[in-house]
Amino acid sequence: MSQKKTILFMSTLALALTAMAGNPFFETYKTPHQTIPFIEIKTEHFLPAFEVAMKKHSEEVAAIINNPQVPTFENTIEALEHTGTLLTKVSSPFYNLLSSETTDELQDLAEKISPLVTEHSNSIRLNEKLFARVKAVYLQKDNLKLSPEQKMLLKDTYEGFTNNGANLSDADKAIYRELSKDLSLLSLQYGQNVLKETNNYSLLISDKTLLSGLPSDFMDVLASNAKKAGKEGWLLNLKATCYVPFMKYSENRDLRREIYMANASKCMGGGEYDNRENVRKIANTRLKIAKLLGYKSFSEYELIDRMAENKKNVYNLLDKLLLAYKPEAEKEYSEVQDFANKKGAYFKIQPWDWSYYSEKLKDEKYSVNDEMLKPYFELENVKKGVFGLATRLYGIKFRKNTKIPVYNPEVEAYDVTDENGKYLAVLYTDFHPRDGKRAGAWMNDFKAQSMIGKMDSRPQVTVVMNFTRPTETKPALLTYDELKTFLHEFGHSLHGMLTKCTYESLSGTNVYRDFVELPSQIMENWASEKEFLDGFATHYQTGEKIPVELIQKIKASENFNNAYSCLRQLSFCYLDMSWHSLETPYEGDIIDFEKEAMASTQILPMIPNTAMSTSFNHIFSGGYAAGYYSYKWAEVLDADAFSVFSSKGIFDKKTADSFRENILLKGGTEHPMVLYKRFRGQEPTIDAILKRDGIIRN
Ligand SMILES: [Zn+2]
């Protein structure tokens, strides 16, 4: 080694050592269950930890590539699965904090770290020598004695490479890279156009009489919008928080029409942010990628690792639902039309009238609202109810453990034990909104379950919500929707906590996308069950149990205009499938394309010069291309699965055991249809969802 190199070597080492000294990521955590020592972790620990962790990961992968022995399942696939432990240890708290407890420094850091991480994972995913070893194992798959879980790991690992072009010739690889780059730029631009066009629109109202019908707290929001813009009056915009309540409550038909048209013609008016060409380009680029990889269409490529498997199965479900819901939706339409006529509206109901008259009719039919229910859903009681449900179904228990470090004093940590009192998982709960926490609700892993040798390394999961905070005079009272959200995210956490798999990448919620919402959505079914509510839903002041009539009203109002809503969702599913099932590039008009794709699902008149495709972020800039159907798919599954509980008893232990054994425990270790049939004894049907939605009555 030359002198110069020695010095260089020394200084890198010295640098690495200073970075590592006192950095908790390089030490074994001494906390209960080796949970993350949040108190010790400082923002400046992340970057050096990421750098060392990525380097270590690369070295681990290099060791697999350079192994002189012939590739085997153990020395390649399993070995690869076990790489990157340190990187996960660093990235998991980082990305969780970025969502739940972010700061400007953390955001800046994310911008720095995210390209490094992308480059790092590309260097592994596009490594030809590594792929050669993976492929060598994959080609012998039929001769290897592998368990179903090992087969799944092999398939997933191999497809992780081939779906990113690993099997292509060098020339085609270059084309693939070019197309992928184009696609990510197009999607980004598409999304930005939607955002800009949405943000650019505003309508100032100075005459209060034009705003009749709007609730006073909503008027306050509009007034503060105006104030922020330095104006007097009330400022309307196209964000969902303004658009949705405005369409529901505004008595002014002309204004409703104006707002509706502005929203429904976004990014198609020929201006700077027009997305019409982007839509064609995105769909056509996806088609090119799919063809390059050997598929007829993008949906065919996208659906290979879905429970639905292929577009025939997707269309089969959509068509069945359309047939069942359409006659009912037409009845709902007539009912709203008659109601509007009675209220003196002598015109055909248009899309900008629908929400307004539906809301009025709903009020008249079912006088149930959030304020009536909230006193029965005090957060502490709901917590007991939800945890208690898991105890009744699965025998698991929750004990608060204040010794587990948390990232904010509001967060609570629980030791979760199984029916024999054995440690199962750590559950964190984080209920209220704060600065630095993003909106919405979610479940996430801090640590996923896996077997490390013979030891079952148990998971640590978190559920995060944004429920109304308690005040000085009132405890936190949840709305009915918030109760359902809690059950939903808690359902995901059960999937994460009850799992028992060998490999981390297949455990818990690591399942196909159209299957992941089954464990969460099924939990929402308990929300309107009397037997469940009776256990905890008592009035926070009087202690009185939630009245039966109120529960019945909830159930009835949940089905209000359900068929119409279902048809609307179906129309998005059909549109998504049409764009992504193209087998030749599309160069025609966007509106013409939509008309054909969505015609069968339309109940309200189709309005000229409007389109959905130019602002459909989910499928053109989000991750839902050829995947929008999965919302409906999961609903069908959860209704079908819950029907077993309904018929055997909502706390039936045997049914719960089977759900746990066949679904919650198994993660993604086998094809979801195989798992589901083991629980249900047959493939799912739409019977249960039709019954739940009130489409068939018996
Ligand atoms: Zn979910």
Side-chain angles (χ1 to χ4, degrees):
M1 197 181 280
S2 77
Q3 184 66 16
K4 211 174 168 189
K5 258 189 185 164
T6 317
I7 293 166
L8 197 71
F9 174 68
M10 286 293 290
S11 65
T12 328
L13 186 70
L15 206 73
L17 285 176
T18 13
M20 288 165 87
N23 191 325
F25 289 119
F26 301 118
E27 284 153 30
T28 307
Y29 298 155
K30 292 183 192 71
T31 44
H33 314 296
Q34 296 194 6
T35 41
I36 301 166
F38 287 107
I39 300 138
E40 292 166 36
I41 295 173
K42 304 277 172 282
T43 305
E44 62 266 26
H45 291 141
F46 281 111
L47 187 61
F50 263 105
E51 281 168 346
V52 173
M54 285 190 283
K55 192 163 171 281
K56 187 157 187 280
H57 190 198
S58 301
E59 285 163 7
E60 290 162 355
V61 172
I64 297 172
I65 297 170
N66 298 327
N67 188 337
Q69 285 165 348
V70 290
T72 63
F73 179 83
E74 287 74 22
N75 76 21
T76 303
I77 308 298
E78 200 167 57
L80 191 59
E81 169 74 10
H82 291 143
T83 62
T85 331
L86 182 60
L87 188 54
T88 312
K89 187 179 174 183
V90 183
S91 59
S92 139
F94 182 72
Y95 290 111
N96 273 294
L97 289 175
L98 208 54
S99 304
S100 314
E101 187 79 357
T102 196
T103 58
D104 289 346
E105 296 84 65
L106 217 55
Q107 295 286 352
D108 290 347
L109 196 57
E111 269 177 44
K112 209 165 176 180
I113 284 172
S114 104
L116 298 177
V117 173
T118 309
E119 201 186 308
H120 170 72
S121 58
N122 280 344
S123 75
I124 295 171
R125 221 177 38 186
L126 304 173
N127 189 303
E128 294 185 9
K129 285 185 189 150
L130 180 61
F131 177 62
R133 284 190 74 99
V134 170
K135 191 174 177 178
V137 181
Y138 184 78
L139 292 177
Q140 324 158 37
K141 67 178 188 310
D142 297 328
N143 305 322
L144 303 171
K145 289 199 177 64
L146 300 178
S147 69
E149 181 170 0
Q150 289 173 322
K151 279 184 193 153
M152 202 58 155
L153 184 67
L154 175 56
K155 178 181 173 289
D156 277 5
T157 309
Y158 177 74
E159 284 171 359
F161 285 91
T162 54
N163 285 338
N164 286 296
N167 251 340
L168 299 175
S169 69
D170 283 347
D172 281 351
K173 266 187 194 142
I175 299 175
Y176 175 82
R177 274 197 293 271
E178 209 49 43
L179 290 172
S180 303
K181 213 169 83 194
D182 290 351
L183 186 60
S184 68
L185 281 175
L186 285 166
S187 305
L188 192 71
Q189 201 188 12
Y190 177 100
Q192 280 170 352
N193 285 350
V194 176
L195 188 70
K196 282 179 185 149
E197 193 107 326
T198 308
N199 289 345
N200 278 358
Y201 181 89
S202 66
L203 183 66
L204 184 71
I205 309 286
S206 353
D207 178 359
K208 199 174 179 180
T209 57
L210 296 176
L211 297 175
S212 56
L214 303 186
S216 66
D217 51 347
F218 181 50
M219 289 286 286
D220 293 344
V221 174
L222 300 182
S224 92
N225 285 351
K227 213 169 172 186
K228 267 185 233 155
K231 287 172 182 154
E232 288 268 321
W234 298 267
L235 199 63
L236 295 169
N237 60 47
L238 296 181
K239 287 175 195 141
T241 46
C242 177
Y243 180 83
V244 176
F246 186 80
M247 297 309 279
K248 220 186 233 185
Y249 299 115
S250 171
E251 287 170 10
N252 189 317
R253 191 170 190 232
D254 291 336
L255 268 185
R256 285 203 310 263
R257 184 182 180 280
E258 189 167 338
I259 297 286
Y260 174 86
M261 285 307 291
N263 191 54
S265 59
K266 261 190 299 198
C267 303
M268 56 179 296
E272 194 185 344
Y273 307 124
D274 195 313
N275 264 336
R276 283 175 297 181
E277 189 55 25
N278 284 337
V279 168
R280 281 184 289 259
K281 277 187 183 164
I282 291 171
N284 293 340
T285 308
R286 284 180 177 150
L287 173 62
K288 276 188 204 159
I289 290 176
K291 289 213 161 171
L292 195 65
L293 295 170
Y295 300 92
K296 264 200 223 129
S297 67
F298 187 77
S299 63
E300 197 181 291
Y301 158 62
E302 195 61 25
L303 288 164
I304 48 165
D305 54 1
R306 297 283 180 270
M307 185 177 181
E309 285 183 299
N310 54 50
K311 73 171 189 195
K312 192 177 131 252
N313 291 335
V314 173
Y315 274 115
N316 188 13
L317 178 75
L318 301 182
D319 293 348
K320 268 197 228 161
L321 291 172
L322 177 62
L323 198 69
Y325 283 78
K326 195 165 184 184
E328 205 58 37
E330 273 158 356
K331 275 187 224 157
E332 290 171 358
Y333 177 77
S334 315
E335 200 189 351
V336 175
Q337 179 72 62
D338 291 347
F339 174 78
N341 292 149
K342 258 187 247 153
K343 296 280 159 192
Y346 298 107
F347 45 76
K348 194 171 161 53
I349 292 279
Q350 298 294 320
W352 48 87
D353 302 316
W354 177 258
S355 186
Y356 175 74
Y357 287 105
S358 296
E359 186 65 19
K360 292 272 171 296
L361 177 59
K362 188 178 174 186
D363 268 358
E364 201 172 279
K365 283 179 84 168
Y366 320 95
S367 49
V368 59
N369 61 44
D370 279 348
E371 296 312 312
M372 292 159 74
L373 296 171
K374 270 162 77 174
Y376 299 95
F377 299 143
E378 199 260 302
L379 178 59
E380 288 306 313
N381 286 343
V382 173
K383 230 193 283 180
K384 275 182 215 140
V386 173
F387 288 174
L389 176 58
T391 309
R392 265 187 104 164
L393 294 174
Y394 306 117
I396 62 175
K397 296 211 171 81
F398 301 78
R399 197 175 347 103
K400 200 169 154 180
N401 184 347
T402 50
K403 294 205 171 69
I404 294 175
V406 288
Y407 54 87
N408 184 293
E410 285 189 342
V411 177
E412 292 181 338
Y414 292 85
D415 283 333
V416 186
T417 48
D418 70 9
E419 57 276 44
N420 304 315
K422 216 172 120 201
Y423 168 64
L424 191 70
V426 168
L427 174 70
Y428 298 87
T429 58
D430 181 357
F431 287 113
H432 303 296
R434 284 188 302 271
D435 287 344
K437 181 167 165 183
R438 73 174 161 88
W442 61 93
M443 167 270 177
N444 216 340
D445 287 332
F446 275 116
K447 176 176 163 287
Q449 181 272 339
S450 70
M451 293 298 290
I452 300 176
K454 287 208 164 56
M455 189 198 63
D456 183 3
S457 170
R458 298 307 306 169
Q460 298 162 7
V461 308
T462 176
V463 289
V464 186
M465 251 97 26
N466 274 291
F467 294 157
T468 325
R469 237 169 227 294
T471 64
E472 271 176 28
T473 51
K474 248 191 211 168
L477 301 174
L478 308 193
T479 64
Y480 179 66
D481 277 344
E482 286 176 332
L483 166 67
K484 292 220 297 197
T485 304
F486 190 174
L487 284 163
H488 180 107
E489 300 309 331
F490 185 71
H492 281 307
S493 83
L494 287 174
H495 203 187
M497 292 192 288
L498 291 170
T499 191
K500 196 169 176 5
C501 304
T502 305
Y503 304 115
E504 183 175 322
S505 65
L506 297 173
S507 80
T509 55
N510 288 316
V511 300
Y512 290 169
R513 186 198 289 156
D514 51 1
F515 190 58
V516 75
E517 298 298 336
L518 168 62
S520 52
Q521 285 180 190
I522 192 172
M523 297 300 289
E524 294 181 36
N525 288 280
W526 272 270
S528 55
E529 291 291 334
K530 185 178 178 299
E531 271 180 278
F532 169 61
L533 293 171
D534 271 350
F536 71 91
T538 51
H539 196 286
Y540 81 102
Q541 285 166 320
T542 63
E544 165 219 18
K545 264 188 192 172
I546 187 166
V548 180
E549 314 81 71
L550 217 46
I551 302 175
Q552 281 160 349
K553 272 186 185 170
I554 300 175
K555 277 201 166 176
S557 70
E558 275 191 312
N559 284 345
F560 179 71
N561 282 355
N562 232 342
Y564 172 81
S565 310
C566 175
L567 238 60
R568 196 172 142 76
Q569 263 202 310
L570 286 178
S571 73
F572 302 154
C573 299
Y574 278 110
L575 183 62
D576 171 33
M577 287 305 287
S578 295
W579 278 118
H580 296 112
S581 299
L582 287 171
E583 293 183 8
T584 51
Y586 184 76
E587 303 298 347
D589 183 66
I590 303 290
I591 296 179
D592 291 346
F593 186 92
E594 281 199 7
K595 256 191 200 151
E596 203 182 316
M598 298 165 96
S600 61
T601 55
Q602 296 307 302
I603 295 286
L604 293 169
M606 278 178 126
I607 306 299
N609 302 317
T610 63
M612 172 77 193
S613 300
T614 50
S615 60
F616 198 174
N617 267 332
H618 265 79
I619 68 164
F620 288 109
S621 78
Y624 275 82
Y628 202 84
Y629 78 89
S630 48
Y631 290 109
K632 275 283 141 202
W633 185 273
E635 265 181 62
V636 169
L637 276 186
D638 90 70
D640 187 66
F642 187 72
S643 71
V644 186
F645 283 99
S646 297
S647 65
K648 301 265 167 70
I650 62 161
F651 300 118
D652 183 56
K653 193 79 184 91
K654 250 176 99 180
T655 309
D657 283 346
S658 165
F659 193 71
R660 175 185 190 164
E661 197 64 33
N662 295 305
I663 310 279
L664 298 174
L665 203 114
K666 295 279 185 180
T669 55
E670 288 183 72
H671 193 280
M673 192 58 95
V674 173
L675 297 180
Y676 191 78
K677 277 160 75 178
R678 250 180 238 150
F679 162 69
R680 186 68 176 97
Q682 62 181 54
E683 290 198 1
T685 70
I686 64 167
D687 298 349
I689 195 174
L690 294 184
K691 227 166 128 181
R692 185 173 75 185
D693 283 354
I695 306 300
I696 46 172
R697 297 171 186 95
N698 57 9

